[in-house]
């Protein structure tokens, strides 16, 4: 069990959320989402990097006391501290929620990084720019008029020549080509040697003039030449090079004249700073690894809420997986702890913990359920701990999460490597193309853990046309979490619909996840339904629905998906049943066909055409004056004499918006798995439906609403009618 990923049992409970980018710089007063703090830090450091202060050793030398020829001790000290970081023209100040300065303005990158890492919600970050100017191409933190300036040039070469070997020459001259052999402790990497002969100095460098011969550049200084400063090598544009950096050698053109300088310096307390940006860090989001719920979040007095049924499914599926691996409930990836009471506060709690591995001591997510009513909390604990509920809502935040949670209720949380594994996908925004999907999912199901008698339908999930929604993708990833690439390729994902509703981008994404993609589709709903029927083994039976009979198809879908009576659903086209559909019925020798819906959905003439295509048989029609009466007639016919119905599954009827029927599509296989009819009802249950349910159910034990959005009274009415309750006390 320790191989099983947490996402398998949670399947969407901890979906990753997308992070919005931090707003661009130069925007003042920007609030930054707390989770974007790292991005804010990266943005500010990137801005700082656009105006780095020079880190050349020539400016750092002598920092501890008097500075050096070029800059005073303040600037020298700053540059000396940039050995393992950098300072910038830009700096940061941090102010707390109380208005007090937490971090004084700093222009050093490492200190800015530390300051933003320590930033707390509500605190303000101000970005300043200080005055800077360039000295021979290197940025220094001083005003333009305070740059190092020339005091005077030294005399021309004749009386003194400084050489790298530090010798005193016969004529009494001393070396002054290179003011020092080391700069701030670093070797001069530009000049390799300087020799003095006949009052001529020959300077050899590491600059390569000829790659093939490795000839190095050298030059001479004769009597009368202007003295040079070996600390100030320049490139073609007169920009300063780093004499301690060997890579700069090949950029070398000449040395600047030996000069007496007036050093520049900056008093940190008097520098001029301009406010550039202001950011405030937003509130810290709740810890996603911890969640506190009240009883009402899981139980509304009659039914388990969608969150409650999801937790029950998580517990059930984790326990089944643990048992299959020879582990106990206490080692399952989802565990429930007993009720504990705080006698001081009077608050009682129990927890549901999600683990990544069975051997982990610390949970990845902990849900704490709290109440001051210990008796009621004990009742809820017992209900959830049993892994069963009698009345509940199975749903998600959207249709995609709902389809995932329905699959979890069935028990589909992982695939068996030894089985023929299949997954069915339909477009969540194009219901008509998915009408035939439920019986296909039942046909493609496999025996759970290889045990005959526990066959589960293949997962039937909803997707967008061009990509997998996050809930669906997370769930699919969990199904094959322990599969090798070869085992993943053996898993077939069946797309129900043509390329206009499930396009090539989606197919590509699935293939990149390692799956094999199979398509059952045509140019329209009729062709798709025939393609699905042709892929199924139940050839002599069929349900036929009208072109606009989505509600009728949803009513019959649970019947069509019954494991012991899987039946294809053929969709007629507007204006008449298609030739392809009639040919299919003839070719397979169909002799057991039921037309679902009245003559407005499928005319008497079309019924004759269907009968003409059958093998010596006559189609039966189940219909009513509207979708509710047709739904009622289906329940009467297929759940009659109270021989099957132990449960009822309620879904929205699609009157207000036919796309709401998509929840019925998700519910079909779940209803089939518990021998439950699908009842269409969004606002109320009709008297005819009530009468039929009483006759069609025998000692009912379960009432489930699939999907959100129906009136609360619908589920309550059905539960009260059938005498089904959740006992929590």
């Amino acid at each position: 069990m320790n191989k099983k990923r947490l996402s398998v049992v949670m399947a969407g409970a901890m979906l990753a959320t997308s992070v919005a980018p931090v707003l661009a710089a130069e925007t003042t007063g920007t609030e930054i989402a707390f989770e974007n703090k790292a991005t804010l830090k990266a943005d500010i450091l990137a801005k700082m990097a656009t105006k780095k202060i020079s880190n050349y050793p020539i400016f750092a030398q002598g920092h501890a006391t008097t500075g050096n020829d070029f800059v005073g001790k303040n600037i020298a000290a700053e540059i000396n501290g940039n050995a393992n970081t950098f300072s910038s023209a830009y700096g940061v100040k941090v102010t707390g929620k109380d208005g007090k300065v937490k971090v004084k303005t700093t222009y050093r990158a490492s200190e800015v990084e530390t300051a933003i890492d320590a930033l707390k919600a509500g605190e303000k970050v101000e970005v300043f720019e200080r005055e800077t100017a360039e000295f021979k191409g290197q940025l220094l933190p001083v005003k333009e008029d305070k740059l190092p300036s020339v005091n005077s040039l030294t005399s021309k070469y004749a009386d003194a020549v400084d050489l790298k070997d530090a010798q005193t020459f016969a004529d009494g001259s001393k070396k002054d080509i290179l003011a020092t052999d080391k700069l701030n402790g670093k070797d001069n990497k530009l000049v390799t040697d300087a020799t003095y002969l006949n009052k001529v100095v020959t300077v050899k460098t590491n600059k390569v003039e000829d790659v093939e011969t490795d000839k190095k550049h050298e030059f001479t200084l004769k009597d009368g030449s202007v003295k040079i400063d070996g600390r100030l090598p320049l490139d073609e544009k007169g920009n300063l090079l780093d004499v301690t950096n060997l890579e700069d050698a090949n950029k070398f053109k000449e040395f600047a004249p030996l000069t007496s300088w007036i050093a520049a310096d900056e008093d940190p307390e008097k520098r001029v700073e301009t406010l550039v940006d202001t950011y405030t860090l937003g509130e810290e989001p709740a810890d996603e690894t911890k969640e506190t719920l009240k009883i009402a979040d899981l139980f509304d007095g009659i039914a388990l809420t969608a969150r409650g049924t999801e937790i029950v499914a998580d517990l059930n599926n984790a326990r089944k997986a643990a048992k299959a691996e020879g582990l106990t409930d206490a080692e399952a990836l989802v565990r429930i702890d007993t009720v504990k009471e705080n006698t001081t506060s009077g608050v009682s709690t129990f927890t549901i913990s999600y683990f990544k591995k069975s051997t982990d001591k610390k949970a990845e997510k902990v849900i704490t359920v709290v109440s001051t009513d210990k008796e009621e909390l004990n009742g809820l604990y017992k209900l959830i701990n049993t892994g069963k509920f009698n009345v509940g809502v199975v749903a998600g935040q959207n249709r995609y999460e709902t389809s995932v949670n329905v699959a979890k209720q069935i028990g589909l949380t992982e695939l068996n490597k030894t089985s023929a594994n299949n997954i069915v996908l339909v477009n969540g925004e194009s219901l008509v193309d998915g009408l035939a999907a439920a019986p296909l999912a039942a046909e493609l199901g496999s025996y759970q853990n290889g045990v005959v008698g526990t066959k589960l339908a293949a997962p039937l999930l909803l997707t967008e046309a061009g990509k997998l929604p996050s809930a669906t993708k997370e769930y699919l990833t969990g199904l094959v979490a322990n599969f090798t690439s070869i085992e993943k390729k053996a898993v077939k994902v069946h797309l129900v619909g043509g390329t206009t509703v499930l396009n090539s981008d989606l197919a590509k994404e699935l293939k990149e996840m390692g799956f094999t993609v199979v398509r059952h589709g045509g140019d329209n709903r009729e062709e798709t339904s025939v393609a699905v029927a042709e892929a199924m083994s139940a050839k002599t039976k069929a349900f036929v629905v009208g072109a606009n009979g989505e509600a009728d198809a949803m009513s019959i879908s649970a019947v069509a998906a019954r494991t012991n009576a899987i039946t294809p659903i053929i969709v007629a086209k507007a204006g008449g049943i298609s030739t392809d559909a009639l040919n299919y019925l003839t070719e397979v020798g169909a002799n057991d066909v039921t037309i679902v819906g009245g003559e407005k959905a499928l005319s008497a003439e079309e019924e004759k055409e269907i009968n003409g295509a059958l093998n010596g048989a006559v189609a039966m029609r189940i219909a009513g004056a509207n979708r509710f009466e047709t739904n009622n007639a289906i329940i009467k016919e297929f759940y009659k004499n109270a021989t099957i119905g132990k449960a009822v599954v309620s879904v929205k009827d699609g009157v207000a918006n036919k796309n709401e029927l998509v929840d019925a599509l998700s519910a079909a296989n779940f209803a089939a798995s518990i021998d439950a009819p699908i009842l269409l009802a969004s606002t109320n249950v009709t008297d005819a439906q009530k009468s039929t349910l009483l006759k069609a159910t025998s000692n009912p034990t379960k009432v489930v609403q699939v999907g959100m959005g129906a009136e609360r009274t619908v589920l309550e009415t059905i539960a009260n009618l059938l005498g089904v309750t959740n006992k929590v006390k």
Side-chain angles (χ1 to χ4, degrees), residues 225-241:
S225 298
V226 174
K227 289 183 182 179
I228 63 172
D229 192 335
R231 299 168 301 175
L232 300 177
L234 306 176
D235 64 12
E236 291 281 350
K237 296 181 179 180
N239 291 325
L240 186 63
L241 301 173

Side-chain angles (χ1 to χ4, degrees), residues 43-223:
D43 285 352
I44 291 177
L45 290 174
K47 189 178 187 71
M48 293 178 70
T50 64
K51 287 191 175 182
K52 288 184 178 180
I53 301 300
S54 176
N55 65 349
Y56 281 8
I58 185 176
F59 302 120
Q61 187 144 323
H63 67 91
T65 53
T66 61
N68 54 61
D69 287 353
F70 304 99
V71 296
K73 61 181 181 180
N74 290 319
I75 297 176
E78 177 180 334
I79 293 173
N80 183 71
N82 286 339
N84 298 313
T85 181
F86 69 90
S87 60
S88 171
Y90 296 109
V92 157
K93 180 174 77 174
V94 176
T95 306
K97 294 178 72 173
D98 58 3
K100 295 180 180 179
V101 175
K102 283 187 59 181
V103 179
K104 290 183 178 180
T105 307
T106 175
Y107 292 89
R108 197 177 301 283
S110 58
E111 294 174 358
V112 168
E113 187 169 10
T114 299
I116 297 180
D117 282 341
L119 202 63
K120 292 182 172 56
E123 294 182 339
K124 182 171 66 175
V125 177
E126 292 174 292
V127 181
F128 292 91
E129 183 176 7
R130 56 179 169 173
E131 287 188 299
T132 57
E134 286 191 359
F135 173 70
K136 298 185 183 299
Q138 291 297 300
L139 198 65
L140 296 177
V142 293
K143 295 180 182 180
E144 185 77 32
D145 60 357
K146 294 294 185 180
L147 283 169
S149 57
V150 175
N151 186 20
S152 63
L153 291 173
T154 63
S155 59
K156 293 184 181 292
Y157 160 70
D159 58 328
V161 177
D162 284 352
L163 300 179
K164 191 178 180 187
D165 55 13
Q167 70 185 50
T168 300
F169 297 105
D171 63 359
S173 63
K174 300 182 185 298
K175 59 180 187 146
D176 63 4
I177 276 184
L178 304 173
T180 178
D181 291 338
K182 288 181 180 291
L183 283 175
N184 211 34
K186 295 184 178 181
D187 290 333
N188 185 318
K189 299 292 180 62
L190 178 57
V191 175
T192 59
D193 194 20
T195 58
Y196 177 73
L197 183 64
N198 298 325
K199 293 190 177 182
V200 175
V201 178
T202 302
V203 182
K204 297 180 180 181
T205 74
N206 270 319
K207 179 179 180 180
V208 178
E209 284 192 340
D210 190 320
V211 177
E212 293 184 1
T213 63
D214 198 32
K215 180 183 177 183
K216 303 294 177 64
H217 172 69
E218 59 182 59
F219 62 92
T220 59
L221 295 171
K222 299 178 181 180
D223 192 9

